[in-house]
């Protein structure tokens, strides 16, 4: 951009030859100092985010790593308000050049129970549109973040809970919980961005099996298929392991790392960016089908009876 500006402003005053020489000098100087500039930029901008009761962000001043804790009791049901708080937190993290983020939960046995079923049952179109759009935003920001991400899965992570975890780059889970994308068991078709995150995590064959069967895996089975990367006995240990994973990037150029991540995920991100409205319309028209509504209503009742 600098070079374009320079070129456009010097257009009237310099000969073609002079412009070529000066352009070359600026370009060489920039690339020589790029590394120093980049290493200098992230140095000082860690922040203490204003507390949101639904999402707490705690940045370690020394490591620059943020622990992002979802806090919507009892099960971190993903409501419009929780998505809005996450979307805002992700913006803050991006703008403040943190070194990495760890997503976790304040609920003792649940990472997230997935989408709040109250958002899906007898929905109001205007609210559902805001809900769905914010859901898309959160995925675009989390999956496409410039900083590295990890999930400390300290409890059950069905459906949308699993989706948040697989949008991160690394997963450490505590034993004796369940994780998976059980949408088809609820009569729901997994949206494209959820399928993309799954394919990016496990093999294509495992993704197909997991999504079509709607399997919920135990922690141990999740490790076997690569849905998670490590098991840690407690939440504190899970966070520690995530920190170890993120610390490995201290020796890697942050610009090279984030460009590489972005280029690997670009196709998935563009796929959603290019069809956000269509994605909403497909889900909305399926969601309001009487048979889907009945299935969701019955499922909610079964959870309450339990
Ligand atoms: C054909 C296309 C259709 C279009 C579809 C459109 C959109 C959908 C697209 C994507 C879909 C994503 C899928 C989802 O995320 S849907 C949510 C799926 N979630 C689940 O199946 C998990 C359900 N919950 C559980 O299995 C258990 O609660 C859990 C194992 C997480 C925890 O068990 P625990 O015993 O600790 O707690 P409970 O007593 O079961 O629950 C406490 C309390 O919370 C309520 N609750 C649980 N889950 C949800 C939820 N997802 N949303 C809202 N409320 C939830 C539960 O009912 C209890 O309430 P109460 O009895 O205390 O009132």
């Amino acid at each position: 951009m600098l070079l374009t500006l320079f070129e456009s402003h010097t257009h009237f005053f310099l000969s073609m030859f002079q412009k070529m020489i000066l352009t070359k000098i600026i370009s060489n100087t920039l690339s020589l100092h790029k590394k120093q500039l980049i290493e200098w930029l992230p140095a000082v901008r860690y922040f203490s985010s204003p507390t949101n009761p639904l999402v707490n962000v705690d940045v370690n001043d020394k490591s620059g790593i943020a622990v992002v804790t979802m806090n919507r009791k009892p099960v971190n049901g993903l409501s419009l308000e929780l998505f809005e708080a996450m979307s805002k937190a992700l913006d803050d993290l991006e703008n403040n050049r943190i070194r990495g983020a760890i997503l976790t939960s304040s609920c003792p046995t649940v990472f997230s129970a997935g989408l709040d079923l109250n958002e899906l049952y007898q929905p109001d179109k205007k609210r559902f549109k805001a809900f769905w759009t914010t859901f898309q935003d959160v995925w675009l920001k989390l999956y496409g973040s410039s900083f590295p991400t990890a999930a400390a899965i300290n409890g059950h992570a069905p459906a949308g809970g699993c989706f948040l975890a697989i949008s991160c780059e690394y997963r450490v889970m505590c034993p004796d919980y369940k994780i998976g994308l059980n949408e088809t068991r609820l009569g729901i078709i997994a949206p494209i961005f959820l399928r993309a995150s799954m394919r990016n995590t496990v093999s294509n064959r495992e993704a197909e099996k997991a999504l079509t069967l709607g399997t919920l895996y135990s922690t141990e089975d999740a490790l076997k298929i690569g849905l998670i990367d490590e098991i840690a006995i407690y939440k504190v240990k899970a966070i520690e392991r995530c920190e170890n994973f993120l610390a490995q990037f201290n020796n890697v150029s942050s610009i090279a790392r984030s460009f590489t991540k972005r280029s690997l995920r670009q196709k998935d991100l563009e796929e959603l960016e290019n069809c956000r409205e269509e994605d909403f319309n497909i889900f909305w028209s399926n969601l309001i089908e009487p048979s889907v509504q009945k299935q969701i209503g019955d499922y909610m009742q079964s959870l309450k009876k339990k």
Side-chain angles (χ1 to χ4, degrees):
M1 200 183 79
L2 261 176
L3 291 176
T4 320
L5 267 178
F6 165 73
E7 283 193 326
S8 63
H9 282 79
T10 51
H11 182 75
F12 296 107
F13 307 109
L14 299 172
S15 74
M16 200 61 179
F17 180 68
Q18 285 169 316
K19 267 170 64 182
M20 272 170 61
I21 302 264
L22 272 169
T23 306
K24 186 82 188 146
I25 291 169
I26 290 185
S27 142
N28 283 349
T29 314
L30 277 180
S31 66
L32 257 178
H33 293 291
K34 200 159 101 187
K35 190 164 186 313
Q36 288 93 317
L37 275 172
I38 286 151
E39 296 309 325
W40 172 77
L41 277 173
V44 280
R45 295 180 58 188
Y46 306 140
F47 72 117
S48 168
S49 91
T51 310
N52 181 308
L54 295 177
V55 175
N56 182 61
V57 179
D58 189 10
V59 185
N60 180 314
D61 289 342
K62 282 200 186 120
S63 65
I65 290 173
V67 176
V68 179
T69 307
M70 293 176 282
N71 181 35
R72 184 166 184 260
K73 304 272 170 27
V75 291
N76 279 330
L78 300 166
S79 63
L80 170 61
E81 291 73 20
L82 180 50
F83 276 141
E84 281 173 345
M86 289 179 77
S87 179
K88 165 83 173 58
L90 288 164
D91 283 342
D92 289 345
L93 296 177
E94 200 64 69
N95 293 334
N96 286 280
R97 300 174 183 283
I98 53 132
R99 289 219 166 256
I102 299 168
L103 185 63
T104 191
S105 153
S106 69
C107 305
T109 58
V110 182
F111 177 72
S112 165
L115 300 188
D116 186 334
L117 292 161
N118 298 296
E119 299 284 6
L120 305 183
Y121 188 59
Q122 298 182 342
D124 165 71
K125 189 168 184 180
K126 197 163 162 235
R127 181 174 168 102
F128 189 79
K129 175 103 199 239
F131 168 75
W132 196 256
T133 307
T134 319
F135 180 20
Q136 292 175 336
D137 286 341
V138 167
W139 181 74
L140 290 168
K141 290 174 190 178
L142 185 61
Y143 190 72
S145 72
S146 70
F147 50 83
T149 52
I153 310 163
N154 58 314
H156 297 293
C162 174
F163 148 80
L164 288 177
I166 60 178
S167 302
C168 297
E169 286 154 69
Y170 199 75
R171 281 152 292 281
V172 184
M173 186 167 170
C174 297
D176 303 324
Y177 295 121
K178 295 273 186 194
I179 182 168
L181 296 172
N182 57 330
E183 280 74 5
T184 50
R185 299 223 172 177
L186 312 180
I188 287 169
I189 301 164
I192 53 165
F193 45 114
L194 209 142
R195 299 194 297 255
S197 294
M198 191 65 169
R199 275 201 315 266
N200 193 47
T201 307
V202 297
S203 71
N204 217 38
R205 177 172 156 68
E206 286 297 348
E208 188 176 284
K209 262 203 301 179
L211 284 167
T212 51
L213 286 169
T215 313
L216 285 174
Y217 298 88
S218 67
T219 305
E220 291 70 21
D221 288 344
L223 183 67
K224 278 185 205 147
I225 67 158
L227 187 54
I228 60 165
D229 298 287
E230 283 190 67
I231 300 178
I233 189 90
Y234 306 118
K235 176 180 173 180
V236 180
K237 290 277 170 209
I239 291 181
E240 231 173 76
R241 300 279 176 81
C242 289
E243 282 168 347
N244 292 346
F245 167 73
L246 296 173
Q248 294 179 80
F249 293 111
N250 289 346
N251 301 324
V252 178
S253 149
S254 52
I255 195 93
R257 184 198 48 71
S258 73
F259 268 84
T260 305
K261 171 179 171 181
R262 183 80 199 185
S263 64
L264 287 167
R265 296 186 172 204
Q266 186 74 20
K267 206 164 147 264
D268 297 335
L269 294 162
E270 274 171 7
E271 197 179 357
L272 176 62
E273 265 158 4
N274 294 337
C275 73
R276 291 185 66 157
E277 186 68 24
E278 191 192 337
D279 180 59
F280 165 75
N281 289 331
I282 291 171
F283 279 106
W284 174 253
S285 56
N286 283 297
L287 184 64
I288 55 172
E289 284 281 327
S291 61
V292 174
Q293 281 299 304
K294 177 158 182 347
Q295 200 156 355
I296 295 174
D298 290 349
Y299 185 58
M300 288 169 82
Q301 282 308 315
S302 74
L303 282 174
K304 289 210 182 298
K305 274 192 205 133
K306 200 186 78 178

